[in-house]
Amino acid sequence: MKKAWPAEGWAAAYLREFDGDHTRAVRKYLDSAAEFRSLSPAELAAMPLRGDERSLLGKPPSFQPTQPPIPLLDELLEIRRVDRILMYIGEARVERMAGYIDGYRLCLSLAGLKDLEYPRFEQWLQDTGRVPSGHTWEDAFLQEAHGDHEAAIHRLLDCAAEFRALPSAS
């Protein structure tokens, strides 16, 4: 097991090693993580630590954010602004976007934060008929987009912008 990462970081070093092949670089990183997970407690204890790492020993992990949280609607508007869906969810599939939204909401909840705006947005989608009662945005927008997942996601992001522009939304 390596005792230290390359000075420039694992990503840059592994990409260089594999001539820019991201898949092989990530696989090597995951292999290292798996190898690390298999170390015995004695092997872990014998590993040298930096000073800042030593100060974290024995402290329980914190779910408290280190920066102010970004409400989900702001996150969706940022995804729309940069127009890089793939950067956030990989393949543009409504299931992936729905999973991203669920995961984002879970993280906010685990940090003890309440995002009251997103449920109002969901209700607005139904109240305005954009999403029929008893349906999800995924079903409604995918059907409207004739199966085009990326178009359905863009529809969701456009609806978020439209909702945020309403005087009563903020």
Side-chain angles (χ1 to χ4, degrees):
M1 180 77 195
K2 266 188 183 174
K3 300 290 187 208
W5 290 107
E8 72 271 30
W10 71 268
Y14 292 174
L15 282 171
R16 188 179 61 255
E17 179 180 338
F18 295 113
D19 298 319
D21 186 330
H22 288 258
T23 301
R24 290 178 64 200
V26 170
R27 283 187 179 142
K28 180 169 182 173
Y29 174 81
L30 293 174
D31 287 345
S32 297
E35 184 179 349
F36 179 80
R37 291 286 309 233
S38 70
L39 293 175
S40 71
E43 291 170 312
L44 288 172
M47 292 179 80
L49 297 175
R50 298 187 313 248
D52 58 338
E53 291 170 333
R54 191 170 309 287
S55 69
L56 296 174
L57 289 177
K59 291 184 181 179
S62 171
F63 287 119
Q64 295 305 311
T66 57
Q67 298 177 359
I70 297 171
L72 178 53
L73 221 56
D74 287 343
E75 180 75 359
L76 295 178
L77 293 174
E78 178 64 10
I79 293 170
R80 181 178 187 260
R81 184 189 70 78
V82 299
D83 196 26
R84 305 269 315 264
I85 292 171
L86 301 179
M87 183 172 78
Y88 287 87
I89 64 169
E91 183 184 358
R93 309 262 321 152
V94 294
E95 300 87 3
R96 286 175 170 263
M97 184 56 127
Y100 182 84
I101 289 169
D102 289 344
Y104 200 96
R105 293 181 78 190
L106 176 63
C107 287
L108 289 174
S109 175
L110 288 173
L113 304 168
K114 301 235 185 283
D115 184 356
L116 302 176
E117 187 180 30
Y118 190 78
R120 287 196 325 259
F121 170 61
E122 289 180 308
Q123 187 62 51
W124 175 80
L125 288 173
Q126 291 204 352
D127 291 348
T128 59
R130 287 168 176 82
V131 174
S133 182
H135 290 82
T136 64
W137 71 264
E138 302 100 281
D139 296 333
F141 293 171
L142 193 56
Q143 183 177 3
E144 182 182 310
H146 306 288
D148 183 337
H149 286 258
E150 191 166 351
I153 294 167
H154 279 288
R155 173 85 168 115
L156 173 72
L157 300 176
D158 291 344
C159 285
E162 184 180 345
F163 176 76
R164 179 55 73 75
L166 295 172
S168 61
S170 351

